[in-house]
Amino acid sequence: MTDTPADGPDGDVAADVRERIESDPFCASIGVELVELGEGTARTRLRVTDDHLNFHGTLHGGACYSLADAAFAAASNSRGETAVALETNVSYLDAVEPGETLEATAEETHRSSRTAEYDVVVSTSDGDRIATFRGRVYLP
């Protein structure tokens, strides 16, 4: 995802886990970077380019979803245990144009022995919320 190391708030993520998450080929192909990784948390970033636009000239919903999903995947797999998505949903709140830098911040809100839940907020560099994402994972 990025060439710079991602740092968790308290350094609780193993280096091999961080490296595996950062090396996601899909994220690299669309420009999503992992900027922070902690146990049950993650932050990803995307600079919106013309390649991320829909036919209205604003951010494609799939690009926004992918940014949020990358943060969700990183946070849910941050402990080194496999976590696979059970369900996700996203609410789009505002349009974004090229040149904007977006961040998605994922936080674990519930965890049991077999499932976990995450909230992800996608916002602009000014802090304006443009989407809210929620996901649940299965922990095999």
Side-chain angles (χ1 to χ4, degrees):
M1 286 186 194
T2 183
D3 294 331
T4 59
D7 297 316
D10 48 12
D12 51 3
V13 177
D16 63 324
V17 172
R18 179 179 287 115
E19 183 179 326
R20 183 168 39 99
I21 292 170
E22 286 179 326
S23 68
D24 185 295
F26 177 74
C27 288
S29 75
I30 64 169
V32 172
E33 300 175 60
L34 180 67
V35 294
E36 187 175 297
L37 183 64
E39 192 171 293
T41 65
R43 189 164 46 97
T44 55
R45 182 180 298 144
L46 174 68
R47 179 157 165 56
V48 178
T49 69
D50 289 343
D51 292 335
H52 300 117
L53 303 182
N54 60 27
F55 56 84
H56 294 295
T58 58
L59 180 67
H60 192 286
C64 183
Y65 180 93
S66 293
L67 174 66
D69 187 57
F72 165 58
S76 64
N77 284 276
S78 62
R79 291 179 178 86
E81 303 167 358
T82 298
V84 294
L86 285 171
E87 63 181 346
T88 64
N89 66 44
V90 64
S91 297
Y92 300 105
L93 308 173
D94 205 354
V96 176
E97 297 181 5
E100 186 68 64
T101 298
L102 302 178
E103 289 192 348
T105 303
E107 183 177 340
E108 186 174 86
T109 57
H110 175 78
R111 185 176 185 87
S112 70
S113 63
R114 287 290 178 216
T115 64
E117 179 183 81
Y118 297 82
D119 286 337
V120 184
V121 173
V122 179
S123 58
T124 65
S125 55
D126 294 334
D128 296 328
R129 184 183 290 217
I130 64 134
T132 303
F133 176 107
R134 186 171 178 185
R136 287 186 341 118
V137 294
Y138 174 68
L139 306 166

